[in-house]
Amino acid sequence: MYVRSFCDSDGDGVGDLGGVRSKLDYLQWLGVDAIWLSPTFPSPNVDWGYDVADYLDVNPDYGTLDDLDALIAGARKRGIALWLDLVPNHTSIRHSWFREHPEYYVWADRVPNDWTSVFTRTSAWTYDENRRRYYLHQFAPGQPDLDWWSAAVRREFERIIRFWFDRGVAGLRIDVAHALIKDRELRDGAEHMRDRPEVLDIYARWQEIAAEYDPKPTLMGETYVPLQRLWRYAVPLDLVQSFDFVRAPLRVEALRPIVEQVEANLPGRRSPLWFGSNHDHSRLATRWAGGDERKARAALFLLLTLRGTALLYQGDEIALTDGVVPSACITDVADPPRDPERTPMPWTAGGGEWRDPWLPLVDTSRNVESQAADDGSTLAFVRSLIRQRRELADAPYTTLPSEPGVWAYARGAATCVVNMSDREARHEGRRLGPWETAVF
Ligand code: GLC
C-alpha cells in the first residue's frame, strides 16, 4: 500500500493512516491478511518517505503514533497483520545522526571509486561543506548511506525494530536489503557496492530478535539480485522479493522458467513470493496487459494460484492502469519518474473522495465502487480467487504438459490453467477462450 495515494481521511490531498483505517473493512472483505505500508516515518520527502528523518515516529502528513497504534489494533481485530517498510540502507540527510553521529556514515577524503547513484547514474559521492569530505549515497544526495560495518549502527537498528515489534508491528519489508554492506576498501565496480555475503548476518540477528515475539514478525527483503543469487537471502529472510518475474513479459516461455527455478531452488521451508506491481514499477494492468482487462486477470490468476505468498499492489484488484502525469506534475527524483504507478486509488466513479490530490487522478473508469457492485468485475474475480487459494494452501506446484501459449500446472489435486494467447486453446478436452483461466 502506497499510503500517500491510498485514501485521504482529512481532505488535504494526501492519503493518511486514518484513510487506511477507514478501508480495513474493505480489505477484510477482499480477503487481505497482511498490509505492507510504504514508509510512514517523518521525512523531508526527497524520495517520498524513503529518506527517513526519525525511525521512531510517524510522518505528520500521515498522522501520529496514536493513529498508527489504532491502525495496528483495528487491523489485528480483523485478522490483518500490519507490516512497516524499514529503510536501513540510508537515512535522510536531515536525520540528526548525520550531524551528531557522522561516524555512522560512509566517508572519503576524495571521490574514491566509480560507484554511481541508482537514480541519476552520476557519481554516488557528494561533497559535504561541513565535514569537508565526500559521503556515499546510492540513491539521491539527500539519502546518505549508513556504514553497516559499524557496531553502533547495528545497535541502533536493533533498538528500532524492537520498538516497532513491541507496538505490534507484525512484519518488516526491508528496503534495498541486498545493499547494506559495501566493500570496506571502497574498490571500483558496482559489484563491490552491493550483494555481499556479510549482509546476511544482519538479518540472521534480526531473526533472533523477531523470534522473541509471538507470533514471530515476518522479514521480507527487497532483494534486487539475479535469480541465481537470490536463494541465499532466503536463508535468513522469510520472504525475498525477486524482480525477474516483474521484468519478464507476460508470456508462458518467459514466466514459467522463473517459477520452475524458484520452486527448485528456494530453501524448502520458505514460501515463494509473487507480485506484478509496486510503487517502483509500472502497474501490471499497464505493463503486462496494456490495459486489456482479460490479460490483467490472467496475470492476477497466476499471482494468486501459484504456490506461495502473493503481494497485490493497491489497485491491482481492479486492474488499475498507470496514471497519466503531465511533466509539470512530476514529483519523483528517479529517472524515469515513478509517478504514474503512484497516482491516487480511485474509490468511486466520480473520484470526489480525492480533493486536489498530490498527484492527478484522471481516469476513474476502473474504481472500487462500480466493481464492488458487479459480480463480473475484476474485483469480484480477485476476491473469489483469494477465497479459492485458501483451499490450495501449500499444495505443491507441478508443471503439466500443455499446448503452446497455455500454462497448466497442478497444485496438489487441483489443476490450474491459463490460456496466455489471443487464440482459442484446449486443455484436457476443455475449451479456453483467449486469456481465459480455470481451476478444476
Ligand atoms: C527501494 C524503494 C524505492 C526507493 C529506494 C530507495 O527501491 O522501493 O521506492 O526509492 O529503495 O530507498
Side-chain angles (χ1 to χ4, degrees), residues 2 36 47 50-51 85 87 90 119 139 143 173 175-176 222 224 278-280 332-334 338 342:
Y2 200 69
W36 148 32
D47 186 16
Y50 285 97
D51 46 324
D85 196 328
V87 189
H90 45 269
F119 288 159
F139 296 90
Q143 295 169 295
R173 180 265 195 179
D175 189 61
V176 201
E222 185 201 31
Y224 267 102
N278 74 19
H279 62 290
D280 296 327
D332 189 22
V333 271
R338 296 163 292 182
R342 298 175 175 180

Side-chain angles (χ1 to χ4, degrees), residues 41-149:
F41 314 100
S43 164
N45 285 333
V46 165
D47 186 16
W48 296 119
Y50 285 97
D51 46 324
V52 176
D54 181 354
Y55 291 93
L56 303 178
D57 208 344
V58 169
N59 186 333
D61 285 358
Y62 302 146
T64 62
L65 213 40
D66 285 344
D67 293 325
L68 188 55
D69 288 340
L71 177 60
I72 293 169
R76 181 182 281 165
K77 223 171 59 198
R78 293 167 177 83
I80 299 175
L82 199 101
W83 301 4
L84 295 186
D85 196 328
L86 185 69
V87 189
N89 178 70
H90 45 269
T91 70
S92 161
I93 200 160
R94 308 253 289 274
H95 194 294
S96 60
W97 292 344
F98 196 70
R99 295 282 158 249
E100 290 163 20
H101 287 288
E103 74 280 10
Y104 285 6
Y105 297 84
V106 185
W107 297 94
D109 291 328
R110 59 193 69 82
V111 174
N113 57 32
D114 61 359
W115 297 354
T116 55
S117 147
V118 173
F119 288 159
T120 59
R121 290 176 282 273
T122 55
S123 175
W125 297 91
T126 289
Y127 188 68
D128 178 60
E129 297 287 347
N130 294 314
R131 303 262 307 163
R132 302 187 175 195
R133 299 185 80 194
Y134 291 84
Y135 65 89
L136 174 69
H137 54 88
Q138 272 190 80
F139 296 90
Q143 295 169 295
D145 278 48
L146 287 163
D147 178 3
W148 273 91
W149 294 104

